[in-house]
């Protein structure tokens, strides 16, 4: 099986969740490189640095909602301020332990968000991402 994307980004402060998601990504050979940020602040600055360095943001971002310093919602607010041409091919997948229907409704209000997965992310969830990017 080939990698579907060159790299993906995980934004999550929970090391167990990050470990599990990285393991699932590697099992499915989803991508070559996984970039991990522990909160939205670190991520938004890291992504802007990537843009300035090589002009590219990872095409797939797995975003947790509940994190210290800057949560997923605040990250989304800053992310949509990045010029459209720099983020138009980026797909964001919310990955949360929240089962609150209000979070799902709020996530759908962001055009940058492609889907919402409840932790832990499974190979079935990743297959949904693969199907979406393969269309």
């Amino acid at each position: 099986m080939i990698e579907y994307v060159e790299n993906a980004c995980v934004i999550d402060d929970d090391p167990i969740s990050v470990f599990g998601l990285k393991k699932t990504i590697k099992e499915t050979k989803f991508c070559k490189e996984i970039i991990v940020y522990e909160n939205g602040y670190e991520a938004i600055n890291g992504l802007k640095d990537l843009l300035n360095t090589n002009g590219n943001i990872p095409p797939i971002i797995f975003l947790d909602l509940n994190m210290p310093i800057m949560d997923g919602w605040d990250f989304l607010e800053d992310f949509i301020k990045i010029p459209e041409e720099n983020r138009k091919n980026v797909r964001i997948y919310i990955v949360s332990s929240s089962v609150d229907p209000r979070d799902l409704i709020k996530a759908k209000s962001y055009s940058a968000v492609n889907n919402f997965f409840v932790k832990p992310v499974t190979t079935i969830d990743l297959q949904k991402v693969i199907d979406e990017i393969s269309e």
Side-chain angles (χ1 to χ4, degrees), residues 40-72:
Y41 181 78
E42 187 181 293
I44 201 71
N45 290 321
L47 295 177
K48 286 178 181 176
D49 286 347
L50 286 175
L51 265 177
N52 293 331
T53 306
N54 68 11
N56 292 319
I57 296 174
I60 304 293
I61 296 174
F62 296 100
L63 175 65
D64 184 27
L65 293 177
N66 299 313
M67 297 175 286
I69 302 170
M70 179 188 272
D71 67 16

Side-chain angles (χ1 to χ4, degrees), residues 3 11 15-16 26 30 44 56 70 79-82 87 90 93 95 105 107 112 123-124 132:
E3 283 92 4
I11 306 169
I16 295 169
K26 287 177 183 170
F30 183 78
I44 201 71
N56 292 319
M70 179 188 272
F79 182 80
I80 60 176
K81 293 175 186 170
I82 294 173
R87 61 179 173 85
V90 177
Y93 295 88
V95 178
I105 292 165
T123 54
I124 293 167
E132 286 180 17

Side-chain angles (χ1 to χ4, degrees), residues 78-132:
D78 277 4
F79 182 80
I80 60 176
K81 293 175 186 170
I82 294 173
E84 173 68 24
E85 66 270 9
N86 294 326
R87 61 179 173 85
K88 66 182 176 194
N89 296 320
V90 177
R91 295 169 180 256
I92 297 177
Y93 295 88
I94 302 287
V95 178
S96 179
S97 53
S98 171
V99 291
D100 187 336
R102 292 174 295 187
D103 285 339
L104 183 57
I105 292 165
K106 187 173 180 178
K108 287 181 178 181
S109 74
Y110 288 91
S111 61
V113 174
N114 286 73
N115 210 331
F116 190 108
F117 299 122
V118 176
K119 290 180 181 181
V121 173
T122 65
T123 54
I124 293 167
D125 295 330
L126 277 184
Q127 187 59 53
K128 290 177 186 173
V129 175
I130 291 165
D131 292 345
E132 286 180 17

Side-chain angles (χ1 to χ4, degrees), residues 12-31:
D12 195 333
D13 65 316
D14 178 14
I16 295 169
S17 293
V18 171
F19 176 82
L21 182 53
K22 285 172 76 172
K23 185 174 186 233
T24 304
I25 287 171
K26 287 177 183 170
E27 283 173 4
T28 58
K29 295 183 171 60
F30 183 78
C31 65

